Amino acid sequence: MTDPAHPSTHSPTHQDRQAQLAELPFFRDIPPVAVQRAIARVVVRQHPAHQPILLENDWGNSVYLVLSGWLKIRTYNFDGKEVTLNVLGTGEMFGEMAPLDRVPRSTDVLTLSEASVASLPAADFLHLLETEAAAGIHLARLLAKRLRQVNRRLRLRESDSTARVADVLLFIAESQGVGPQGIEIPNLPHRELSGLSGLARETVTRVLANSKPKGSSSAPAIAMCCVCGTAPPSKP
């Protein structure tokens, strides 16, 4: 797993940034001229770890694209307990809902590591959706993917703790895709895995410890199952 506390220190030029933005998944299959017009007013900011980028009830003036680093989306339940809804990595989009339905944001977004985040003005985002069918299709696929992920996690709420922790790791790996070194997921604190799985932090720690072969320095077996794309079966 990659360490969210130590991202790359490379400082790209403006041209590098424009090229990086144009290669993001959301802009694929969109004519280059339309992409360049859409990202002309994008602002890229560097954020330290553990800093809020968006807060619940903020107004949606921008849509955001992750260029590097790791972020989490969180909310709070009725008891005031923090709930982690998702973890985002390079290439992913967030903040797209508020400009669409013109209501304040419903969650917080915070950095888990140092992160580079591009801010796309909401008006340019909406114009792209209105003029380029491919952009609308990409957005529909993104929302459908997130809905499927939520449905899967809800079904696993009745599974045992091992299956739930494994599914969280697989969920994060699937959302990031395959990088140069294979599938990479952040080395998240157990507290974050607890928020994603709905389990107590102590339970997550115990599951990961029990899945690691005794006397071995290798990754826990549960993580290896997830990298291979399968979750271990639930215990009877």
Side-chain angles (χ1 to χ4, degrees), residues 80-114:
K81 180 181 178 182
E82 180 179 319
V83 178
T84 301
L85 300 177
N86 203 350
V87 173
L88 305 176
T90 301
E92 297 200 81
M93 174 189 292
F94 63 94
E96 74 285 344
M97 291 176 58
L100 287 172
D101 54 17
R102 299 180 182 179
V103 297
R105 303 193 187 276
S106 57
T107 58
D108 301 334
V109 179
L110 298 89
T111 56
L112 291 171
S113 70
E114 294 182 12

Side-chain angles (χ1 to χ4, degrees), residues 127-162:
H127 179 75
L128 186 65
L129 293 178
E130 292 167 354
T131 57
E132 297 295 335
I137 292 172
H138 285 325
L139 180 60
R141 287 174 176 166
L142 172 64
L143 297 178
K145 175 184 175 182
R146 289 179 178 172
L147 181 58
R148 284 196 303 271
Q149 290 172 335
V150 170
N151 288 340
R152 186 178 76 184
R153 290 170 63 193
L154 288 175
R155 289 197 302 270
L156 280 167
R157 289 288 173 169
E158 301 304 319
S159 300
D160 65 53
S161 56
T162 299

Side-chain angles (χ1 to χ4, degrees), residues 118-216:
S119 172
L120 172 65
D124 296 343
F125 173 70
L126 294 174
H127 179 75
L128 186 65
L129 293 178
E130 292 167 354
T131 57
E132 297 295 335
I137 292 172
H138 285 325
L139 180 60
R141 287 174 176 166
L142 172 64
L143 297 178
K145 175 184 175 182
R146 289 179 178 172
L147 181 58
R148 284 196 303 271
Q149 290 172 335
V150 170
N151 288 340
R152 186 178 76 184
R153 290 170 63 193
L154 288 175
R155 289 197 302 270
L156 280 167
R157 289 288 173 169
E158 301 304 319
S159 300
D160 65 53
S161 56
T162 299
R164 288 165 68 175
V165 173
D167 184 71
V168 165
L169 296 176
L170 182 58
F171 160 74
I172 297 171
E174 286 177 344
S175 68
Q176 306 313 318
V178 179
Q181 305 301 321
I183 296 176
E184 298 180 356
I185 60 176
N187 188 13
L188 295 174
H190 292 181
R191 177 172 58 86
E192 304 299 344
L193 297 177
S194 167
L196 282 165
S197 65
L199 298 167
R201 182 182 58 78
E202 293 79 6
T203 301
V204 171
T205 300
R206 184 176 68 252
V207 167
L208 293 175
N210 290 342
S211 71
K212 185 174 182 179
K214 292 184 179 180
S216 171

Side-chain angles (χ1 to χ4, degrees), residues 45-84:
R45 292 187 174 89
Q46 309 301 316
H47 299 271
H50 312 301
Q51 180 187 67
I53 296 178
L54 298 180
L55 295 175
E56 185 176 354
N57 294 321
D58 284 349
W59 284 97
N61 298 320
S62 297
V63 175
Y64 299 86
L65 300 155
V66 184
L67 300 182
S68 66
W70 299 92
L71 301 86
K72 73 172 180 178
I73 300 177
R74 76 171 181 194
T75 188
Y76 293 90
N77 62 20
F78 289 114
D79 297 325
K81 180 181 178 182
E82 180 179 319
V83 178
T84 301

